[in-house]
């Protein structure tokens, strides 16, 4: 059974159509990135999936439920984080927000305490869990929001720009936690974001939406291949070598440290890293190599332009 099923979904606001004939499925346990430019229809889709907005036409099922008609039942089975909106009580300490949410979800007090303890530990909330929410930094509040969304053990976690405005350390802490939660609890994830680092680290499949329509459904690697994006193999040599030009299927795009490090760009469909290394090894001794993936933002721009 799919955790999300969308068929011919459409939402219009007067003469403007925000979501237009959208169809896709998300299997239970999957992690899917939902990306697109500002105004592409991402947040509108999420609001229909969670029962906040009524579709103009088409159907959407979340956890097998009709979001608007069965919104109360659905609320017990999903967790939602909107990066610029809060489900916490600003004048209460974070811990009291968790108690209130536990009561709303009709959780036993012992279950709330146990789950709160786990989330406080895993998200490093201990230093500020008794601080009023209004006094928290953005990074602290977002971690609190994620904990609140997961308090009742939802089947599906929907995140809309969860790391917006966070520093690098806070982003990484949150990404590690979400990865661990999915592994431990099998939570499904739908992530709408502009942060390609989030997409790369947290999802296995991406849906690209453009002007409310689905423009792509697949993996990041498949997306890069569709628009002709190239990967870069970075070769660290044991000693300086002449420029590695003429390696079949590659372009030399950079030479550093007098030839000790050289970068070759290649299209995955035209050659392989093994083939490149075989040719390079006949001309220089390779100490180490790394692969740089295409810049995903550039890949998405090229998809829109195609």
């Amino acid at each position: 059974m799919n955790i999300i099923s969308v068929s011919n979904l459409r939402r219009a606001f007067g003469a403007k159509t925000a979501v237009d004939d959208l169809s896709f499925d998300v299997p239970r346990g999957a992690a899917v990135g939902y990306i697109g430019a500002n105004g592409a229809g991402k947040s509108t889709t999420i609001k229909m999936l969670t029962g906040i907005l009524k579709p103009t036409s088409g159907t959407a099922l979340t956890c097998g439920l009709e979001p608007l008609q069965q919104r109360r039942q659905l609320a017990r089975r999903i967790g939602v984080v909107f990066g610029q909106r809060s489900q916490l009580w600003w004048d209460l300490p974070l811990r009291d927000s968790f108690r209130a949410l536990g009561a709303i979800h009709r959780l036993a007090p012992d279950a709330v305490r146990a789950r709160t303890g786990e989330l406080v530990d895993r998200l490093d909330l201990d230093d500020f869990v008794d601080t009023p929410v209004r006094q928290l930094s953005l990074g602290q509040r977002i971690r609190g929001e994620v904990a609140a969304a997961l308090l009742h053990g939802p089947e599906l976690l929907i995140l809309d720009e969860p790391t917006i405005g966070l520093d690098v350390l806070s982003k990484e802490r949150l990404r590690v936690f979400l990865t661990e939660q999915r592994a431990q609890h099998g939570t499904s994830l739908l992530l709408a974001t502009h942060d390609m680092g989030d997409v790369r680290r947290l999802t296995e499949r991406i849906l690209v939406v453009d002007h409310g329509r689905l423009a792509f459904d697949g993996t990041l690697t498949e997306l890069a291949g569709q628009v002709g994006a190239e990967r870069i193999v970075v070769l660290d040599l044991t000693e300086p070598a002449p420029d590695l030009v003429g390696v079949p299927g590659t372009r030399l795009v950079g030479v550093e440290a007098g030839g000790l490090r050289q970068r070759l760009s290649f299209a995955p469909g035209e050659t392989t890293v093994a083939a490149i290394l075989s040719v390079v090894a006949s001309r220089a001794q390779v100490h180490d190599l790394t692969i740089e993936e295409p810049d995903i933002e550039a890949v998405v721009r090229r998809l829109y332009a195609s």
Side-chain angles (χ1 to χ4, degrees):
M1 177 180 174
N2 293 317
I3 199 78
I4 296 173
S5 293
V6 172
S7 179
N8 305 117
L9 195 64
R10 182 175 179 271
R11 173 66 198 203
F13 297 93
K16 180 181 178 181
T17 301
V19 173
D20 189 7
D21 197 31
L22 190 65
S23 297
F24 65 86
D25 295 320
V26 175
R28 188 172 295 275
V32 175
Y34 193 48
I35 65 176
N38 284 326
K42 303 187 301 298
S43 293
T44 301
T45 305
I46 287 175
K47 289 174 181 176
M48 288 189 284
L49 292 176
T50 54
I52 297 173
L53 283 177
K54 179 181 180 180
T56 302
S57 60
T59 60
L61 293 177
T62 306
C63 299
L65 302 172
E66 296 183 6
L68 194 64
Q69 291 85 346
Q70 299 172 287
R71 190 174 176 185
R72 182 168 298 192
Q73 299 98 305
L74 181 61
R76 299 193 182 102
R77 298 174 63 179
I78 65 172
V80 184
V81 175
F82 290 100
Q84 299 182 20
R85 296 176 180 84
S86 181
Q87 61 187 314
L88 304 172
W89 281 261
W90 282 80
D91 294 317
L92 295 180
L94 191 57
R95 190 187 303 275
D96 287 352
S97 284
F98 294 157
R99 290 194 186 105
L101 288 167
I104 289 171
H105 286 293
R106 300 180 181 179
L107 302 178
D110 287 346
V112 174
R113 282 192 292 272
R115 183 61 170 157
T116 297
E118 177 189 358
L119 292 167
V120 166
D121 178 61
R122 300 300 293 276
L123 277 166
D124 295 325
L125 308 180
D126 194 58
D127 290 342
F128 54 86
V129 70
D130 293 308
T131 301
V133 171
R134 67 169 57 254
Q135 297 178 21
L136 302 181
S137 69
L138 177 60
Q140 292 170 336
R141 183 178 68 78
I142 291 298
R143 279 186 278 157
E145 297 280 0
V146 172
L150 289 169
L151 184 70
H152 57 297
E155 302 167 34
L156 170 66
L157 180 62
I158 299 176
L159 304 178
D160 188 3
E161 302 290 357
T163 63
I164 188 169
L166 298 189
D167 59 60
V168 173
L169 183 61
S170 295
K171 284 184 181 182
E172 183 59 22
R173 183 183 289 119
L174 185 56
R175 290 166 181 167
V176 169
F177 169 76
L178 290 171
T179 300
E180 291 173 347
Q181 285 292 297
R182 286 197 60 238
Q184 292 172 5
H185 300 286
T187 310
S188 305
L189 175 65
L190 180 67
L191 172 66
T193 183
H194 284 94
D195 191 316
M196 294 301 107
D198 288 348
V199 174
R200 187 179 292 109
R201 289 289 303 276
L202 295 173
T203 68
E204 302 130 5
R205 169 186 166 206
I206 58 171
L207 304 171
V208 182
V209 63
D210 181 27
H211 294 93
R213 287 181 170 269
L214 191 63
F216 176 83
D217 179 356
T219 66
L220 286 175
T221 300
E222 290 167 345
L223 175 59
Q226 179 171 320
V227 299
E230 296 184 331
R231 304 170 78 192
I232 294 176
V233 56
V234 182
L235 298 156
D236 290 313
L237 309 178
T238 55
E239 57 185 34
D243 292 357
L244 294 171
V245 295
V247 177
T250 73
R251 292 185 301 112
L252 181 66
V253 294
V255 178
E256 303 170 26
L260 270 173
R261 171 173 286 183
Q262 304 199 29
R263 298 171 182 268
L264 299 175
S265 176
F266 69 100
E270 296 179 6
T271 188
T272 64
V273 174
I276 294 169
L277 188 58
S278 176
V279 174
V280 170
S282 68
R283 297 167 55 176
Q285 187 171 355
V286 178
H287 172 68
D288 196 10
L289 68 83
T290 55
I291 304 296
E292 295 180 352
E293 297 295 339
D295 179 85
I296 302 305
E297 291 171 331
V299 170
V300 172
R301 285 196 297 270
R302 292 177 68 174
L303 177 66
Y304 287 154
S306 61

